[in-house]
Amino acid sequence: QVQLVESGGGLVQAGGSLRLSCTASGRTFSSYAMGWFRQAPGKEREFVAAINWIGTNTYYSASVKGRFTISRDNAKNTLNLQMNSLKPEDTAVYYCARRRTGYSDYYASDKYDYWGQGTQVTVSS
């Protein structure tokens, strides 16, 4: 069984930065692509960023590209999301997730099988 645990959320002013981390249990972390999603109150869960298994390819939503950076440390079973120039519209619960094998799509949430419990990010104006 895979467990994903996010940390690093909090309250920050607009223009500030936060770094989210996701620690995975098990020895297969390095074999899977990983992603970050977020869900704001009253809205559907949306894709934020993803990274392939070895960390050479990254993918971003248009709304965060240039401000957020996804990375991973396979030796530490850790996925990170560096968030800079935060905006009030970035306020949401952020989730890390493991992508299923056999798919090339990084953006659809149904291509991910394991999810963390989420961490709240609140950006004040």
Side-chain angles (χ1 to χ4, degrees):
Q1 188 75 1
V2 175
Q3 287 190 324
L4 303 174
V5 180
E6 301 96 337
S7 61
L11 174 64
V12 65
Q13 288 188 333
S17 298
L18 281 175
R19 183 177 178 84
L20 304 184
S21 294
C22 171
T23 302
S25 64
R27 294 184 288 180
T28 61
F29 175 79
S30 60
S31 300
Y32 292 86
M34 298 292 295
W36 287 98
F37 289 75
R38 68 186 182 186
Q39 187 167 19
K43 295 188 177 181
E44 293 188 354
R45 188 171 297 187
E46 66 172 357
F47 171 81
V48 174
I51 189 167
N52 69 341
W53 67 277
I54 200 173
T56 54
N57 295 335
T58 57
Y59 309 84
Y60 298 95
S61 69
S63 62
V64 308
K65 193 170 186 178
R67 300 188 297 122
F68 291 11
T69 302
I70 188 172
S71 63
R72 66 189 299 161
D73 185 339
N74 286 342
K76 296 182 178 179
N77 278 16
T78 300
L79 176 73
N80 301 302
L81 185 68
Q82 178 66 42
M83 306 186 296
N84 298 329
S85 303
L86 283 161
K87 305 175 181 180
E89 51 263 43
D90 294 318
T91 295
V93 177
Y94 283 70
Y95 300 88
C96 68
R98 190 186 79 170
R99 200 191 68 169
R100 303 175 192 271
T101 57
Y103 293 96
S104 58
D105 182 359
Y106 284 88
Y107 300 93
S109 61
D110 65 352
K111 300 304 185 290
Y112 292 78
D113 54 3
Y114 287 95
W115 295 79
Q117 83 289 348
T119 186
Q120 176 71 46
V121 171
T122 303
V123 184
S124 63
S125 57

